[in-house]
Amino acid sequence: MHLETKDSSDFLMGILDFIFPKKCLNCGKTGAYFCSECLNFTSLDRERICPVCERPAIGGATHPGCLKDRSLDGFTSVFNYKGIIRKGIGKLKYKFVSDIAGELVELFLSSLGEDENFTRFCRQPNIVLVPVPLHPSRERWRGFSQTKMLGNLIAGNLGISFQPDLLIRVKNTKPQVGLKEDERKTNIKDAFSLNPASSFPASPQGGPLLTSNFLLFDDVWTSGSTLKEAARTLKKAGAGKVWGLTLAR
Ligand SMILES: [Zn+2]
Ligand SMILES: [Zn+2]
């Protein structure tokens, strides 16, 4: 019997679901990682803030008075970092479960579509999604990078260009968790650099970097110092506008 590729992969997925049934990360009910009941208790982050001062800002655009040469131009996040969303992101970090990523990105994009300012930013020409990178040694140890995996899915769905290797992490920083605000800033300072081997030509003398606008993606916004530092690195090299995007805050 001849099976079409799609049928055989559906067949295989069916077997895998049978052997390892998907269970809700919160209540354990089988069927999906994020069951509809638990999703009712998911809280969306509706408050839009200026990424520089973290005070409320219309549509998440940086206040004109806060905007400097190398700051983020705006910031959008979808979920509050708690409950089932926090569990899902935690699983992604420490365990490779690509199905969870798929479900999470679907939820994320359905809420993101309602955000007018963000949608307007994405309509500009030459938008490139760049994930905040891990240090190479950490990525090797973990076996993958969750921001690359999620970023790839998001860029694909939004129909924008994806450049996972434009930024590299040159400093193996301590985890930001547990550090005070000023310690976080020092810890992350000069942590990123443009990758000279990137497939996206990033010469400061010209090239697409100067004519592109960037969506800088990270999974979670904690103090914002990581996204701010990554934005500074892109802008120092001459990048156009840089908008921060995270799943949760
Ligand atoms: Zn549930
Ligand atoms: Zn501000």
Side-chain angles (χ1 to χ4, degrees):
M1 188 176 74
H2 176 74
L3 284 169
E4 294 290 321
T5 323
K6 175 134 192 357
D7 290 347
S8 56
S9 73
D10 280 354
F11 178 67
L12 192 65
M13 287 310 290
I15 291 180
L16 285 173
D17 277 348
F18 181 71
I19 304 173
F20 307 104
K22 284 181 198 171
K23 284 199 180 111
C24 173
L25 296 171
N26 200 46
C27 69
K29 200 171 92 181
T30 52
Y33 290 113
F34 302 88
C35 86
S36 51
E37 259 165 72
C38 290
L39 279 179
N40 285 335
F41 296 101
T42 302
S43 52
L44 292 176
D45 178 15
R46 301 227 182 252
E47 188 200 12
R48 290 289 167 258
I49 57 158
C50 161
V52 175
C53 68
E54 296 190 52
R55 293 199 184 93
I58 296 164
T62 302
H63 297 128
C66 290
L67 193 64
K68 304 254 163 52
D69 276 359
R70 294 174 183 174
S71 46
L72 282 163
D73 294 280
F75 167 67
T76 304
S77 187
V78 167
F79 302 110
N80 287 317
Y81 188 49
K82 56 186 186 187
I84 190 170
I85 295 298
R86 188 176 182 139
K87 282 184 189 162
I89 292 174
K91 287 259 181 198
L92 280 181
K93 230 173 231 188
Y94 302 109
K95 200 171 146 202
F96 185 67
V97 193
S98 57
D99 282 359
I100 294 183
E103 280 186 34
L104 197 55
V105 165
E106 216 173 285
L107 293 170
F108 173 72
L109 289 169
S110 61
S111 300
L112 197 57
E114 299 162 12
D115 192 296
E116 276 178 38
N117 257 50
F118 178 79
T119 314
R120 199 174 310 132
F121 184 81
C122 288
R123 261 193 238 116
Q124 294 183 99
N126 307 325
I127 297 280
V128 179
L129 190 143
V130 173
V132 169
L134 292 172
H135 190 268
S137 66
R138 192 154 177 82
E139 188 171 336
R140 271 196 302 277
W141 175 79
R142 208 183 260 177
F144 77 108
S145 149
Q146 79 276 15
T147 53
K148 273 188 198 170
M149 178 180 58
L150 295 162
N152 189 15
L153 288 172
I154 294 167
N157 272 283
L158 294 174
I160 59 178
S161 162
F162 177 59
Q163 291 293 339
D165 67 347
L166 177 60
L167 278 182
I168 44 170
R169 198 147 182 154
V170 286
K171 193 168 135 190
N172 202 357
T173 51
K174 283 183 267 182
Q176 295 280 78
V177 176
L179 296 181
K180 293 195 196 97
E181 176 90 39
D182 54 334
E183 291 172 329
R184 288 181 183 210
K185 271 188 203 146
T186 321
N187 186 42
I188 204 77
K189 180 103 175 62
D190 299 321
F192 303 104
S193 174
L194 284 193
N195 179 4
S198 169
S199 52
F200 189 78
S203 145
Q205 275 74 44
L209 186 104
L210 298 182
T211 53
S212 296
N213 298 302
F214 294 87
L215 264 186
L216 198 52
F217 173 75
D218 207 353
D219 49 2
V220 181
W221 167 286
T222 320
S223 71
S225 26
T226 307
L227 270 185
K228 287 176 194 176
E229 181 63 17
R232 197 177 71 87
T233 310
L234 283 176
K235 287 212 162 170
K236 204 166 76 178
K241 293 212 181 319
V242 182
W243 194 280
L245 177 68
T246 65
L247 295 180
R249 176 172 77 97

CSV table of all heavy atoms in Angstrom, one decimal, residues 49-57 61-67, ligand 2:
chain,number,residue,atom,x,y,z
A,49,ILE,N,3.4,49.2,28.0
A,49,ILE,CA,4.3,50.0,28.7
A,49,ILE,C,5.4,50.5,27.8
A,49,ILE,O,5.7,49.9,26.7
A,49,ILE,CB,5.0,49.3,29.9
A,49,ILE,CG1,5.7,48.0,29.4
A,49,ILE,CG2,4.0,49.0,31.0
A,49,ILE,CD1,6.8,47.5,30.4
A,50,CYS,N,6.0,51.7,28.1
A,50,CYS,CA,7.2,52.2,27.5
A,50,CYS,C,8.3,51.3,27.9
A,50,CYS,O,8.5,51.1,29.1
A,50,CYS,CB,7.4,53.6,27.9
A,50,CYS,SG,9.0,54.3,27.6
A,51,PRO,N,9.1,50.7,27.0
A,51,PRO,CA,10.2,49.8,27.4
A,51,PRO,C,11.3,50.5,28.1
A,51,PRO,O,12.2,49.8,28.7
A,51,PRO,CB,10.6,49.1,26.1
A,51,PRO,CG,10.2,50.1,25.0
A,51,PRO,CD,9.0,50.8,25.5
A,52,VAL,N,11.4,51.8,28.1
A,52,VAL,CA,12.5,52.5,28.7
A,52,VAL,C,12.2,52.8,30.2
A,52,VAL,O,12.9,52.4,31.1
A,52,VAL,CB,12.8,53.8,28.0
A,52,VAL,CG1,13.9,54.6,28.7
A,52,VAL,CG2,13.3,53.5,26.6
A,53,CYS,N,11.0,53.4,30.5
A,53,CYS,CA,10.7,53.8,31.9
A,53,CYS,C,9.7,52.8,32.5
A,53,CYS,O,9.4,52.9,33.7
A,53,CYS,CB,10.1,55.2,31.9
A,53,CYS,SG,8.5,55.4,31.2
A,54,GLU,N,9.1,51.9,31.7
A,54,GLU,CA,8.1,50.9,32.2
A,54,GLU,C,6.8,51.5,32.7
A,54,GLU,O,6.1,50.8,33.4
A,54,GLU,CB,8.8,49.9,33.2
A,54,GLU,CG,9.9,49.1,32.5
A,54,GLU,CD,10.4,47.9,33.4
A,54,GLU,OE1,9.6,47.2,33.8
A,54,GLU,OE2,11.6,47.9,33.6
A,55,ARG,N,6.6,52.7,32.4
A,55,ARG,CA,5.3,53.3,32.8
A,55,ARG,C,4.3,53.1,31.6
A,55,ARG,O,4.8,52.8,30.5
A,55,ARG,CB,5.5,54.8,33.0
A,55,ARG,CG,6.3,55.1,34.3
A,55,ARG,CD,6.0,56.5,34.8
A,55,ARG,NE,6.9,56.8,35.9
A,55,ARG,CZ,8.1,57.3,35.8
A,55,ARG,NH1,8.6,57.7,34.6
A,55,ARG,NH2,8.9,57.5,36.9
A,56,PRO,N,3.0,53.2,31.9
A,56,PRO,CA,2.1,53.0,30.8
A,56,PRO,C,2.3,53.9,29.6
A,56,PRO,O,2.7,55.0,29.7
A,56,PRO,CB,0.7,53.3,31.4
A,56,PRO,CG,0.9,53.1,32.9
A,56,PRO,CD,2.3,53.5,33.1
A,57,ALA,N,2.2,53.3,28.4
A,57,ALA,CA,2.4,54.0,27.1
A,57,ALA,C,1.4,53.5,26.1
A,57,ALA,O,1.2,52.3,26.0
A,57,ALA,CB,3.8,53.8,26.7
A,61,ALA,N,4.4,52.1,22.6
A,61,ALA,CA,5.4,52.9,21.9
A,61,ALA,C,6.3,53.6,22.9
A,61,ALA,O,5.7,54.2,23.9
A,61,ALA,CB,4.8,53.9,20.9
A,62,THR,N,7.6,53.7,22.8
A,62,THR,CA,8.4,54.4,23.7
A,62,THR,C,8.0,55.9,23.8
A,62,THR,O,7.8,56.5,22.7
A,62,THR,CB,9.9,54.3,23.3
A,62,THR,OG1,10.2,52.9,23.2
A,62,THR,CG2,10.9,54.9,24.2
A,63,HIS,N,7.9,56.4,25.0
A,63,HIS,CA,7.6,57.9,25.1
A,63,HIS,C,8.6,58.7,24.4
A,63,HIS,O,9.8,58.4,24.5
A,63,HIS,CB,7.6,58.3,26.6
A,63,HIS,CG,6.6,57.6,27.5
A,63,HIS,ND1,7.0,57.0,28.7
A,63,HIS,CD2,5.3,57.5,27.3
A,63,HIS,CE1,5.9,56.5,29.2
A,63,HIS,NE2,4.9,56.8,28.4
A,64,PRO,N,8.2,59.7,23.6
A,64,PRO,CA,9.1,60.6,22.9
A,64,PRO,C,10.2,61.1,23.8
A,64,PRO,O,11.4,61.1,23.4
A,64,PRO,CB,8.3,61.7,22.4
A,64,PRO,CG,6.9,61.2,22.3
A,64,PRO,CD,6.8,60.1,23.4
A,65,GLY,N,9.9,61.4,25.1
A,65,GLY,CA,10.9,61.9,26.0
A,65,GLY,C,11.9,60.8,26.5
A,65,GLY,O,12.9,61.2,27.0
A,66,CYS,N,11.5,59.6,26.3
A,66,CYS,CA,12.4,58.5,26.8
A,66,CYS,C,13.3,58.0,25.7
A,66,CYS,O,14.2,57.3,25.9
A,66,CYS,CB,11.5,57.3,27.3
A,66,CYS,SG,10.6,57.7,28.9
A,67,LEU,N,12.8,58.2,24.4
A,67,LEU,CA,13.5,57.7,23.3
A,67,LEU,C,14.9,58.3,23.1
A,67,LEU,O,15.1,59.5,22.9
A,67,LEU,CB,12.7,57.9,22.0
A,67,LEU,CG,13.0,57.1,20.8
A,67,LEU,CD1,12.8,55.6,21.0
A,67,LEU,CD2,12.2,57.5,19.6
B,2,ZN,ZN,8.9,56.2,29.0
